Amino acid sequence: MKLTLETNGNVEINTYYLQTLCMIFWPGVRFGAAHESDEDEPSVKFLMTEEPDGISARVTISDKTKMTSVKREVSFSDEHTRASTAKLAAGNAMLDAGGQFMHYSPSWGIMTGVRPAKVASDYLHRGYTPAKTRAALRSEYSLFPRKAALVTEVAQLEDKIAAPYYNGWCSLYISIPFCPSRCIYCSFVSYTSKKLLSLIPDYVKAVCLEIKEKLDLIKRLGLKIAAVYIGGGTPTILTEEQLTEVLTTVYDNYDVSTLLEYTLEAGRPDTITGEKLRIAKKLGVTRISVNTQTINDTVLESIGRHHTAADFYRAFETAVNSGIDCINTDLIAGLPGESFVSFSKSFDKVVELHPENITVHTFSVKKAAEILRHGASVYSRVNKEAGKSVDYSQIGAKEAGYRPYYLYRQKNTVGNYENVGFSLDGYEGLYNIFMMEEIHTVFAAGAGAVTRLVSERADGTDMKIPVRIERIFNPKYPYEYLRRPDPEKQGDANPSDERRIFEFYGRGDDII
């Protein structure tokens, strides 16, 4: 797609934001010189102008047969910075122009970010009532009423849960980026070939060394760990001996009984055994995910999941019998080949099992997904089946006694819908909240893992005070990760990263 931007006056706006606005109407579209000559896609022009009392945006959309041009102005106010004023102007102009051009009204309006609950929280922390917050989301961001209500409810619950865990706390993420097979829509750094799976024994040893490093670092910083999350990939692809090695490393280097939550993302039912869960329970795990995505065997096979609905039921029963406190089950609305009727049956079957958590994702495809290599047309601006499925899950969850406790959105999601985590009261997935809402630092170990440093608030939990965030990236691929220096032979494996972390916390002089 050809996207152009012109500015008059002192107007600054991020081109990437404008691209995300375009992707509301043209999911999966690509930008740049290589894609500007695609005759099947329209061109979009933004003209941003500083006016005496605000910022105006004119959006012009044209193709070979028609043109639409809309101008919108947003006044300066104490409620918004100049940057957010420009974004609102551009967003509202694009919403009207795109709506006229495509005859489409997105339920999330111009809200494009991954974390919409943060926007709702900002209003709440400014003293807005929930009702006034919902109204602001509808008027400024053009959210449909049910989306404004959903995100406000999530923000209220997240704020309540997270309040005690800002300063002095952190969490730990451990990456096991291997799977028994790769789903056709997967965008995670997970590996399934025989050659790459052969790296697992060496990878386990390397990640255990890094876990020790991170736990020692956390101890020296004087932080308490709120949650540990072992994800992937599929961590239960590890053998019982390998899983024991990882879990024992955590157990021997930190008092896991003090954790608020300890999650093992089992994921694939075909990797779950009673012995693995017995080991997990013994070594402190309190939460496990058993993810089926759907209970339609035909769809499971078509998306590359090498398990059946029967395998899921067996694994779920094994998880229940393990005595682990909290079980999460994932479903995906809008999967290729799945209808609303099929999804609703899957949802009802999962609710009957009464897991403590149910997470409902909406089908999303990233550029690296296998499904795109075969020329499949999967991006969908309008998907009524997915929309009905999302609505059904939210109504059904509430009727079954579940509350939405976290929410996030992704680009190129069918129908432009959301991903929502539901829980029974008191069983909210805490790590999800800490990570999604950037409550505190999350240290990370393993290939593809990202440590996200979040500065402490000078005034405790006052969310009006902005925080500073920095990211430290581990090597992305397992074979790169295995080239890390051995700390037992060369001292600290990442001295520059350690110094950066201590300096971030104002403790640069404490490094030994």
Side-chain angles (χ1 to χ4, degrees):
M1 171 176 279
K2 183 177 182 179
L3 171 65
T4 57
L5 168 64
E6 293 183 12
T7 59
N8 293 328
N10 186 26
V11 179
E12 295 185 5
I13 192 163
N14 191 312
T15 302
Y16 176 75
Y17 172 69
L18 303 182
Q19 292 176 351
T20 62
L21 291 174
C22 292
M23 292 170 72
I24 293 173
F25 296 93
W26 295 277
V29 72
R30 298 189 179 189
F31 302 90
H35 307 285
E36 289 184 358
S37 61
D38 191 332
E39 296 182 356
D40 294 329
E41 295 170 350
S43 62
V44 181
K45 178 180 178 180
F46 286 83
L47 174 61
M48 306 294 299
T49 304
E50 181 178 15
E51 307 286 357
D53 299 319
I55 294 176
S56 71
R58 177 174 290 280
V59 173
T60 303
I61 307 173
S62 61
D63 62 13
K64 293 182 293 184
T65 62
K66 59 182 176 179
M67 182 183 77
T68 298
S69 186
V70 173
K71 181 180 178 180
R72 292 290 180 265
E73 181 176 342
V74 175
S75 300
F76 294 124
S77 71
D78 294 336
E79 296 291 318
H80 298 289
T81 64
R82 287 185 63 88
S84 62
T85 300
K87 291 175 71 173
L88 287 172
N92 282 292
M94 183 65 198
L95 187 69
D96 289 350
Q100 292 179 29
F101 195 88
M102 301 299 294
H103 307 290
Y104 166 64
S105 296
S107 60
W108 281 94
I110 63 171
M111 192 169 286
T112 61
V114 173
R115 303 177 178 89
K118 289 184 73 68
V119 179
S121 290
D122 287 344
Y123 285 115
L124 294 169
H125 297 145
R126 280 187 249 160
Y128 281 43
T129 64
K132 189 177 179 181
T133 297
R134 293 192 293 270
L137 292 170
R138 292 173 61 184
S139 64
E140 296 192 343
Y141 291 88
S142 299
L143 267 65
F144 282 15
R146 65 180 179 273
K147 301 304 181 187
L150 171 66
V151 74
T152 301
E153 181 180 2
V154 169
Q156 287 179 275
L157 183 55
E158 284 182 338
D159 284 352
K160 179 181 178 182
I161 292 172
Y165 307 113
Y166 291 96
N167 293 353
W169 290 86
C170 69
S171 291
L172 174 66
Y173 177 81
I174 299 168
S175 170
I176 308 294
F178 302 92
C179 281
S181 66
R182 181 165 180 165
C183 300
I184 60 172
Y185 53 80
C186 182
S187 62
F188 289 110
V189 182
S190 55
Y191 298 90
T192 59
S193 73
K194 184 176 180 180
K195 180 178 180 180
L196 289 167
L197 292 176
S198 70
L199 299 176
I200 290 179
D202 289 338
Y203 182 87
V204 167
K205 291 181 173 57
V207 80
C208 286
L209 289 174
E210 191 183 5
I211 291 169
K212 290 179 183 178
E213 293 173 27
K214 289 297 192 296
L215 291 174
D216 178 66
L217 178 63
I218 290 167
K219 180 179 179 180
R220 290 158 59 197
L221 287 168
L223 299 174
K224 294 177 288 185
I225 302 178
V228 173
Y229 193 105
I230 304 178
T234 305
T236 43
I237 194 175
L238 301 182
T239 65
E240 292 164 3
E241 293 75 16
Q242 291 163 346
L243 183 63
T244 298
E245 187 173 355
V246 172
L247 296 177
T248 299
T249 300
V250 178
Y251 188 89
D252 288 348
N253 290 275
Y254 195 82
D255 183 358
V256 297
S257 68
T258 65
L259 297 173
L260 305 174
E261 178 182 271
Y262 190 172
T263 298
L264 176 65
E265 180 79 30
R268 298 294 189 92
D270 45 330
T271 66
I272 295 172
T273 68
E275 180 60 16
K276 288 180 184 179
L277 298 194
R278 185 195 68 78
I279 293 166
K281 170 70 174 177
K282 178 182 177 181
L283 294 174
V285 169
T286 61
R287 183 176 182 271
I288 187 169
S289 289
V290 184
N291 299 333
T292 185
Q293 319 302 27
T294 177
I295 301 180
N296 183 320
D297 282 342
T298 301
V299 175
L300 283 170
E301 182 178 3
S302 70
I303 64 175
R305 303 281 289 192
H306 290 180
H307 65 83
T308 65
D311 293 328
F312 164 69
Y313 287 123
R314 174 198 58 76
F316 190 92
E317 183 178 5
T318 300
V320 170
N321 293 337
S322 73
I324 292 173
D325 297 337
C326 181
I327 302 173
N328 172 77
T329 294
D330 282 6
L331 292 167
I332 300 179
L335 283 169
E338 180 145 75
S339 66
F340 163 69
V341 172
S342 173
F343 174 86
S344 61
K345 287 181 179 178
S346 291
F347 182 82
D348 291 344
K349 292 293 185 181
V350 168
V351 169
E352 287 177 9
L353 296 173
H354 211 57
E356 286 73 20
N357 290 173
I358 301 174
T359 306
V360 178
H361 302 271
T362 305
F363 182 59
S364 177
V365 175
K366 296 294 181 66
K367 295 176 182 178
E370 179 68 23
I371 192 172
L372 295 179
R373 298 180 185 178
H374 306 292
S377 178
V378 296
Y379 296 120
S380 175
R381 176 177 57 256
V382 179
N383 189 312
K384 293 182 179 179
E385 295 291 291
K388 289 192 295 182
S389 297
V390 169
D391 289 345
Y392 184 87
S393 70
Q394 293 173 10
I395 294 169
K398 184 175 183 179
E399 291 177 346
Y402 293 86
R403 295 189 299 174
Y405 74 92
Y406 94 110
L407 182 156
Y408 70 100
R409 298 179 64 234
Q410 296 168 282
K411 293 181 297 183
N412 299 327
T413 298
V414 297
N416 197 35
Y417 296 115
E418 64 275 9
N419 308 307
V420 183
F422 303 94
S423 76
L424 300 176
D425 190 27
Y427 288 95
E428 295 80 9
L430 301 180
Y431 175 85
N432 293 324
I433 295 174
F434 299 151
M435 187 67 177
M436 195 58 56
E437 301 309 317
E438 298 170 329
I439 301 302
H440 53 230
T441 291
V442 176
F443 294 96
V450 181
T451 290
R452 183 164 61 190
L453 303 172
V454 179
S455 63
E456 297 192 335
R457 292 169 174 82
D459 189 20
T461 62
D462 187 351
M463 294 294 288
K464 296 177 184 177
I465 301 173
V467 297
R468 182 166 54 97
I469 295 174
E470 293 185 14
R471 291 171 175 81
I472 299 176
F473 297 85
N474 272 9
K476 184 175 182 180
Y477 302 105
Y479 57 83
E480 292 178 326
Y481 179 78
L482 290 174
R483 297 180 188 142
R484 296 171 72 246
D486 185 340
E488 294 185 349
K489 297 178 180 178
Q490 302 184 31
D492 183 8
N494 294 285
S496 61
D497 288 349
E498 180 174 308
R499 176 167 291 280
R500 179 178 169 186
I501 292 168
F502 270 83
E503 289 176 348
F504 182 89
Y505 277 92
R507 302 268 301 278
D509 295 337
D510 292 351
I511 298 178
I512 299 175

